[in-house]
Amino acid sequence: MSAEVLVVGSGASGVNAAFPLVEAGHRVTLVDFGNTDRTYAPLIPHQPFTEVRQGDARQHRYFLGDQFEGVPFGKIRVGAQLTPPRMHISADTARWMPLDSNTFTPTESLAVGGLAAGWGAGAFPFDAHELEGLPFTHADLAPHYDTVAERVGVSGDRDDLLPFLGDSQAMQPPLDIDSNAEAVLSRYQRKREKLNAAGFFMGKARLAVCSRPHRGRDGHAYRDMEFWADTDRSVYRPQWTLEELKRFPNFRYLDRRFVLSFSERDGGGVSLLARHADTGADERHDAHALVLAAGTLGTARIVLRSLGRYGERVPLVCNPYTYVPMVNLGMLGKAPRDRRHSLTQLEVVYHPKDGVGMHGQLYSYRSLLMFKLLKEAPLPLREGVQVMQLLMPLVNILGIHHEDSPGPGKSVALHRGADGAPDRLEVRYEPAAEEERAQSDGERALLRHFLGLGCVPLKRIRPGHGSSIHYAGTFPMREGGGPLTVDGDCRLHGTRNVYLADGSVFPKLPSKGLTFTMMANADRVGTRLARRLQGGHV
Amino acid sequence: MVKVRPVMPASRAVSTSEPGGSALAELVFAPLEAHVFLRYLLGAEPPAEVVERYRAANEKLFAEPASAADARLLDYVTRRPWALPMLDAAAAFRRPDSLLRRKLLVGAAVLEATPDFTARFLPQAVSVPRLVLRGALLGLSVAFKLVVGLILLSMVEAGGDER
Ligand SMILES: Cc1cc2nc3c(=O)[nH]c(=O)nc-3n(C[C@H](O)[C@H](O)[C@H](O)COP(=O)(O)OP(=O)(O)OC[C@H]3O[C@@H](n4cnc5c(N)ncnc54)[C@H](O)[C@@H]3O)c2cc1C
């Protein structure tokens, strides 16, 4: 028997929950706000960065933006890596999804593909220890990791990070690293034994990027334009899965809808209330089951509104994030290769025996343009440009993610909007002082190891809470849990047919990015729901 | 070891609308300013296309009235282009969020995204001895401009600008 299922959101979680349902023959309607960029993408040539820079007279349009929105002022902010061609990702969120906070600045999305339309594609499976406390085991999730790795295309190496990142038959060869990363990796290899004994492990990045042609996408072409365009489609974007879904006759994509709430019908099934983004008209959509994948904060709004839980606080977790520009002395006197990519070059797992673990990503700097570095340098601009020309081949940037678990200072609540205005989400994020101290101490120890690898840290920058863009924990997965939790199938407590497939269900976050695991879990949620519907259990 | 520098969102970190902005400060764009700033950055007369783009950027980015302090500094360097390198050095050090610095950065961004000038903004690899030599020369140049610039900046801030 085929059933009707509604999925909300076309982000990494939504499309990966929809896929197994559609494959199983169920009729799926994916409801989405669905913003896209129609302005800049058509302007960007399919050429390498240096050729674009030297030849394209229209480059100012996409590099700076027609409204000069790519020239940011003030200090480094959340989402600073979103360039004008990616800014549609967070468009309209302030109007449709207002948020109040003095301590937390999240980035949310109403775009086709959601946040992953511009993500860094770091794809990390959680290990058994990191999944502890969930109502399923690592072995239960393993086949879904494989399915998703094949669907999205993952590349990586079987190197020192294998024990932390696991293996997958679907894994493609790693991307080639650039000259800057090569210099760091070769120093690491020379000092490996000592570093490993201190809990420091380094390897090539595990990325949701095809290094060879895969599912109609090209292999990576090393054009160094990842922050600006998807010309070779090698970097995974949920839009690629959405395109595949659209080829199924039992799949329908309904965009320009803002989902407000759901209700369960007495006779069975679910009703969804959505507002048309252009006409403002309210619509009802009915189905046997509903899968919410509107992003952790987006889903929190829908659930709290639907259950009438205004003012009630639910937990929130988010990886604390710091980044550190460094000068790599190993690059002194060396010419950087032009053939390169702008994504993570190297990963670091740091698990000191007597401290907290953390995860680092090492980037080189070029394609985000020099003027953003000039802004940070206390130099007159004439000399600044010359200094940066010399320094840029040496600069690398280390992004550090810390783990996070719930605490009394970390929560969200929904408040009713006044006079027909949209409801407002209020976020409090105030970690305990000891947490922050432990993170800071850990960072200092990690940077000492980088100093040993010839990378001199310039300063540590904390762009503020929310800046990792990894949000989770609002409706934690717990077998036998109470209200505002989900069960092992990710079904919302107290409902018969409402499932959550995004970050909401993960009670805590290890220091790795959650998105790959979230996609695997979404595939698990979709697969289990498909089976349930097949059996007529709705 | 390096210092942690917590950072605020841009909207909270920058205020461009202190009370006391003069009528002159209301000017979002002055053609003379564009020529002075772009000539400083380029070391040559800027092409019309670049001036026009700088004008458009000013219109979009600096629509709010400038503070009195910012207006005074802009007025000073526009009338005395010789002082710009020095005041840029001082502002980079002491007033990195000043309107002068932001306008110069916009100028640099506009030049960086213009094919004729991109080569100046692409990384350059040099041998270690050349790096040391060029670093030392650049260091000396910055140090000189900074010392003179800080004196000039305190004069401008104190209103010591007799026209
Ligand atoms: C620059 C950047 C780099 C990143 N790098 C990494 C990385 O390297 N590794 C990693 O693990 N993670 C990374 N992330 C985080 C990652 O992108 C997110 O965790 C992930 O994309 C979240 O997916 P999601 O499907 O849960 O939600 P979202 O991406 O937020 O998608 C939500 C979807 O729901 C729709 N929607 C929302 N509300 C409504 C509504 N009310 N009605 C209708 N539709 C709605 C939106 O249109 C959108 O399609 C990065 C994020 C960014 C921005």
Side-chain angles (χ1 to χ4, degrees):
Chain A
M1 184 193 124
S2 82
E4 291 268 8
V5 182
L6 291 165
V7 176
V8 178
S10 66
S13 55
V15 296
N16 282 292
F19 211 91
L21 285 158
V22 170
E23 272 189 318
H26 299 295
R27 283 165 289 141
V28 173
T29 301
L30 196 147
V31 188
D32 189 21
F33 197 87
N35 281 336
T36 52
D37 160 43
R38 293 198 176 85
T39 310
Y40 300 120
L43 298 175
I44 303 177
H46 294 208
Q47 283 175 343
F49 178 72
T50 25
E51 284 176 32
V52 170
R53 298 295 314 284
Q54 282 155 6
D56 187 13
R58 293 189 301 186
Q59 62 184 274
H60 62 93
R61 290 200 53 200
Y62 45 89
F63 283 144
L64 308 183
D66 286 344
Q67 308 301 316
F68 295 90
E69 66 273 25
V71 188
F73 285 118
K75 302 294 182 226
I76 295 147
R77 296 170 294 118
V78 175
Q81 63 278 64
L82 293 180
T83 58
R86 306 284 190 212
M87 280 185 184
H88 70 283
I89 290 172
S90 56
D92 292 326
T93 51
R95 179 175 158 220
W96 288 85
M97 310 198 289
L99 184 138
D100 300 311
S101 184
N102 292 324
T103 48
F104 194 79
T105 317
T107 304
E108 292 186 80
S109 180
L110 285 171
V112 182
L115 295 166
W119 75 321
F124 320 110
F126 292 179
D127 60 27
H129 169 70
E130 289 161 340
L131 291 171
E132 238 166 50
L134 294 179
F136 58 82
T137 64
H138 189 268
D140 294 329
L141 199 57
H144 302 284
Y145 274 132
D146 281 334
T147 303
V148 167
E150 199 287 326
R151 188 178 297 142
V152 308
V154 170
S155 59
D157 211 352
R158 294 179 172 87
D159 53 19
D160 284 5
L161 297 185
L162 202 63
F164 306 97
L165 302 182
D167 205 346
S168 167
Q169 280 188 337
M171 193 156 77
Q172 301 184 11
L175 292 189
D176 295 343
I177 55 175
D178 65 19
S179 339
N180 193 318
E182 258 169 21
V184 181
L185 191 60
S186 72
R187 282 201 182 187
Y188 164 78
Q189 273 152 356
R190 287 203 297 273
K191 302 183 164 204
R192 193 166 156 222
E193 230 168 276
K194 210 172 135 211
L195 285 166
N196 289 177
F200 181 105
F201 299 84
M202 182 178 266
K204 289 190 182 166
R206 185 72 67 89
L207 295 166
V209 177
C210 308
S211 51
R212 53 183 184 220
H214 182 66
R215 291 177 87 121
R217 291 155 53 199
D218 292 340
H220 196 275
Y222 299 95
R223 293 196 183 102
D224 199 19
M225 287 291 284
E226 291 86 353
F227 288 127
W228 309 93
D230 294 312
T231 45
D232 58 27
R233 296 158 58 98
S234 61
V235 180
Y236 178 68
R237 309 283 175 216
Q239 299 92 296
W240 315 152
T241 305
L242 184 63
E243 280 174 21
E244 288 189 40
L245 284 166
K246 283 180 181 171
R247 287 186 217 126
F248 286 85
N250 51 328
F251 177 81
R252 192 161 68 113
Y253 178 61
L254 211 58
D255 65 350
R256 311 302 297 153
R257 306 308 200 275
F258 184 78
V259 171
L260 293 164
S261 61
F262 63 80
S263 53
E264 290 204 288
R265 295 194 308 260
D266 289 342
V270 188
S271 213
L272 195 68
L273 177 65
R275 183 158 296 161
H276 198 290
D278 304 319
T279 65
D282 285 351
E283 305 170 349
R284 258 187 198 289
H285 300 272
D286 295 333
H288 294 106
L290 169 67
V291 180
L292 292 175
T296 296
L297 299 174
T299 292
R301 288 183 179 85
I302 298 171
V303 169
L304 294 172
R305 185 182 299 123
S306 305
L307 302 182
R309 302 288 194 127
Y310 286 98
E312 192 160 335
R313 306 207 74 83
V314 292
L316 175 71
V317 289
C318 173
N319 295 119
Y321 183 58
T322 298
Y323 66 94
V324 188
M326 305 190 289
V327 171
N328 176 7
L329 300 178
M331 278 301 286
L332 273 173
K334 287 193 189 141
R337 272 193 307 277
D338 191 43
R339 182 182 179 275
R340 60 201 278 180
H341 66 82
S342 333
L343 301 168
T344 307
Q345 301 284 334
L346 300 172
E347 305 278 345
V348 173
V349 172
Y350 184 45
H351 278 299
K353 284 193 186 65
D354 50 354
V356 289
M358 64 199 81
H359 198 101
Q361 275 120 25
L362 195 70
Y363 298 83
S364 304
Y365 191 97
R366 184 177 72 164
S367 72
L368 281 174
L369 302 182
M370 187 198 280
F371 73 86
K372 290 179 193 154
L373 288 182
L374 288 172
K375 184 166 72 75
E376 301 303 314
L379 293 170
L381 285 170
R382 282 285 291 265
E383 285 80 0
V385 170
Q386 295 174 58
V387 169
M388 288 304 163
Q389 266 197 313
L390 301 174
L391 263 189
M392 242 154 71
L394 280 70
V395 169
N396 53 26
I397 295 181
L398 176 69
I400 306 170
H401 285 105
H402 298 275
E403 58 192 36
D404 197 23
S405 35
K410 307 172 193 170
S411 63
V412 304
L414 189 69
H415 300 289
R416 216 183 280 276
D419 304 325
D423 295 340
R424 303 185 73 84
L425 199 68
E426 182 222 337
V427 181
R428 271 186 218 158
Y429 192 92
E430 286 154 28
E434 311 85 77
E435 271 180 83
E436 299 203 292
R437 206 170 314 118
Q439 287 159 11
S440 187
D441 292 348
E443 286 168 8
R444 230 175 282 135
L446 175 68
L447 292 178
R448 269 197 293 273
H449 291 306
F450 270 98
L451 204 53
L453 295 176
C455 296
V456 183
L458 298 177
K459 61 183 175 190
R460 276 191 278 164
I461 300 173
R462 296 222 166 115
H465 299 311
S467 58
S468 65
I469 323 190
H470 302 158
Y471 314 125
T474 40
F475 306 106
M477 197 178 337
R478 219 170 269 151
E479 209 52 87
L484 303 176
T485 64
V486 298
D487 65 16
D489 285 343
C490 291
R491 181 167 47 175
L492 185 63
H493 180 89
T495 70
R496 290 184 302 274
N497 291 301
V498 178
Y499 297 81
L500 311 190
D502 53 27
S504 320
V505 301
F506 292 93
K508 59 185 170 80
L509 289 174
S511 51
K512 296 167 181 166
L514 84 157
T515 309
F516 185 62
T517 297
M518 190 187 74
M519 291 194 276
N521 185 55
D523 185 74
R524 190 185 68 92
V525 170
T527 306
R528 290 177 70 84
L529 175 59
R531 269 190 225 133
R532 208 173 118 84
L533 293 167
Q534 225 100 39
H537 306 298
V538 285
Chain B
M1 196 44 64
V2 287
K3 290 226 171 70
V4 176
R5 209 187 60 162
V7 156
M8 295 292 286
S11 54
R12 269 176 258 161
V14 182
S15 162
T16 50
S17 53
E18 289 165 32
S22 68
L24 177 88
E26 305 282 331
L27 268 184
V28 166
F29 172 79
L32 179 61
E33 172 200 294
H35 282 275
V36 170
F37 286 12
L38 292 168
R39 202 184 309 122
Y40 160 60
L41 292 171
L42 212 50
E45 202 53 43
E49 158 209 20
V50 170
V51 175
E52 168 52 26
R53 205 165 296 141
Y54 177 80
R55 183 201 63 73
N58 271 261
E59 216 171 86
K60 295 275 195 291
L61 297 171
F62 306 121
E64 284 183 42
S67 70
D70 274 335
R72 206 176 307 130
L73 190 54
L74 283 181
D75 183 41
Y76 191 94
V77 289
T78 313
R79 288 158 181 274
R80 298 167 186 79
W82 58 264
L84 182 51
M86 273 75 81
L87 282 167
D88 177 22
F93 188 70
R94 244 194 41 207
R95 292 193 52 204
D97 289 332
S98 61
L99 193 54
L100 170 66
R101 273 297 282 185
R102 289 191 286 151
K103 283 183 173 241
L104 286 171
L105 273 165
V106 168
V110 165
L111 291 171
E112 187 172 13
T114 307
D116 285 348
F117 309 115
T118 49
R120 300 169 185 230
F121 294 88
L122 286 169
Q124 215 180 57
V126 293
S127 64
V128 178
R130 280 194 67 183
L131 182 79
V132 172
L133 185 67
R134 280 185 64 184
L137 290 175
L138 285 166
L140 281 176
S141 165
V142 171
F144 169 75
K145 287 175 182 171
L146 182 63
V147 172
V148 180
L150 285 171
I151 299 169
L152 277 175
L153 185 62
S154 16
M155 272 171 53
V156 179
E157 282 175 346
D161 162 27
E162 345 57 51
R163 292 185 186 157

